[in-house]
């Protein structure tokens, strides 16, 4: 039987960094569900499909092949066999991913894929709707949060480190827009599951958050 840790939270709440660290410490397979929506967005750009062409976007989501390879140097994301780990973090993808992830049929296709990626494994899965929709019976449910300004500051630093040319103002505007969009989806909206433990990371270091969540997981295991 598999063991499932679900980590939900808005953009910049620290989910990605914290989940990676916990997966290394506890030997859980890390599945970043945002990367699946990002792959659909990248393919939409690659095929030159208009963002308003819902039918074509749904077709892309239904036929796309996404694999996540787990190794010591970090996880790699493959879209139709090509390593797109870097491209899916680009400004262009980030700008269109939220509306794409709001399309009901895209979500249904991605959730099916996410459940398959997790099948039979001990995993830690991060996203927006893991504890409410993808795995409502997850063994451990966490909701990470932080103030909008703190989240924008974190993303700005991350972009600078990765050489992604986005200003602080662009980032805060993008995050605020995504928050709004993520909270009002037809299915799989960003919300706190009734039985999730909320961890506010605004004034905590990464290691403090990691240790806190590891304690919670160990109690449940
Ligand atoms: O976590 P991220 O920024 O890589 O996510 C990219 C987009 O995908 C984000 O705008 C919200 C969406 N998303 C979602 O709707 N549901 C998830 N489980 C994960 C991400």
């Amino acid at each position: 039987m598999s063991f499932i840790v679900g980590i939900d939270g808005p953009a910049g709440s620290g989910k990605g960094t914290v989940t990676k660290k916990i997966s290394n410490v506890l030997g859980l397979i890390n599945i970043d569900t945002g990367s699946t929506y990002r792959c659909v967005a990248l393919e939409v750009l690659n095929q030159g499909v208009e963002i308003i062409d819902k039918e074509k976007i749904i077709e892309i989501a239904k036929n796309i092949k996404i694999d996540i390879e787990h190794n010591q140097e970090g996880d790699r994301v493959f879209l139709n066999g090509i390593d797109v780990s870097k491209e899916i973090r680009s400004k262009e993808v980030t700008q269109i991913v939220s509306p794409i992830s709001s399309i009901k049929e895209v979500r249904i296709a991605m959730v099916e894929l996410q459940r398959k990626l997790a099948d039979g494994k001990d995993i830690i899965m991060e996203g927006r709707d893991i504890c409410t929709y993808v795995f409502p019976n997850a063994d451990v449910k966490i909701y990470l949060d932080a103030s909008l300004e703190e989240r924008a500051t974190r993303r700005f630093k991350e972009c600078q480190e990765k050489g992604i040319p986005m200003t602080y103002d662009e980032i805060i505007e993008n995050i605020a827009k995504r928050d709004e969009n993520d909270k009002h989806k037809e299915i799989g909206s960003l919300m706190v599951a009734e039985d999730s433990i909320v961890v506010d990371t605004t004034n905590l270091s990464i290691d403090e958050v990691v240790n806190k969540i590891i304690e919670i997981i160990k109690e449940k295991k």
Side-chain angles (χ1 to χ4, degrees):
M1 237 186 48
S2 57
F3 182 79
I4 297 170
V5 179
I7 311 264
D8 289 321
S13 56
K15 295 187 308 283
T17 314
V18 162
T19 304
K20 247 177 249 153
K21 288 204 168 209
I22 298 172
S23 93
N24 285 338
V25 175
L26 297 181
L28 299 168
I29 290 176
N30 176 16
I31 301 175
D32 163 18
T33 58
S35 67
T36 64
Y37 295 100
R38 285 176 179 272
C39 280
V40 178
L42 179 61
E43 189 60 12
V44 166
L45 290 175
N46 286 348
Q47 291 193 18
V49 170
E50 295 283 335
I51 190 79
I52 46 163
D53 194 344
K54 243 177 100 171
E55 292 313 311
K56 282 235 174 74
I57 296 176
I58 292 168
E59 202 184 305
I60 286 176
K62 283 185 176 168
N63 294 306
I64 206 167
K65 192 171 174 309
I66 300 170
D67 294 302
I68 302 179
E69 202 181 277
H70 306 276
N71 59 40
Q72 296 290 5
E73 294 90 56
D75 298 333
R76 316 297 312 165
V77 180
F78 293 84
L79 163 61
N80 298 327
I82 296 165
D83 185 347
V84 292
S85 312
K86 186 150 185 247
E87 287 88 334
I88 58 170
R89 306 277 153 207
S90 73
K91 180 174 167 176
E92 292 73 19
V93 167
T94 302
Q95 272 164 347
I96 63 162
V97 65
S98 188
I100 286 176
S101 73
S102 301
I103 302 170
K104 191 171 103 189
E105 293 84 349
V106 171
R107 297 199 74 76
I108 291 171
M110 289 306 104
V111 169
E112 190 186 330
L113 183 113
Q114 291 156 16
R115 288 180 181 147
K116 269 196 201 136
L117 287 172
D119 195 27
K121 302 178 186 126
D122 289 345
I123 60 148
I124 181 160
M125 182 178 269
E126 57 132 320
R128 305 286 194 288
D129 57 346
I130 310 309
C131 304
T132 53
Y133 187 68
V134 184
F135 286 113
N137 297 320
D139 299 277
V140 180
K141 296 181 171 191
I142 306 284
Y143 187 92
L144 284 190
D145 212 350
S147 70
L148 175 63
E149 292 71 21
E150 173 64 22
R151 291 188 284 126
T153 304
R154 289 175 189 171
R155 272 288 148 94
F156 181 59
K157 278 191 197 146
E158 201 182 307
C159 283
Q160 281 188 318
E161 278 163 22
K162 290 183 179 163
I164 299 168
M166 278 182 92
T167 65
Y168 176 82
D169 288 346
E170 274 177 322
I171 290 173
I172 200 162
E173 196 193 320
N174 179 275
I175 291 185
K177 232 189 246 166
R178 284 210 282 160
D179 280 357
E180 244 339 88
N181 212 339
D182 288 344
K183 284 178 186 159
H184 298 100
K185 286 178 175 153
E186 209 177 331
I187 55 166
S189 276
L190 172 66
M191 59 179 153
V192 186
E194 247 176 40
D195 46 354
S196 278
I197 298 169
V198 179
V199 178
D200 190 326
T201 70
T202 308
N203 297 308
L204 296 179
S205 70
I206 291 167
D207 284 341
E208 283 171 326
V209 180
V210 168
N211 291 336
K212 202 171 180 151
I213 298 175
I214 287 178
E215 281 304 305
I216 297 170
I217 296 172
K218 282 187 173 162
E219 265 171 38
K220 298 258 180 182
K221 235 182 165 184

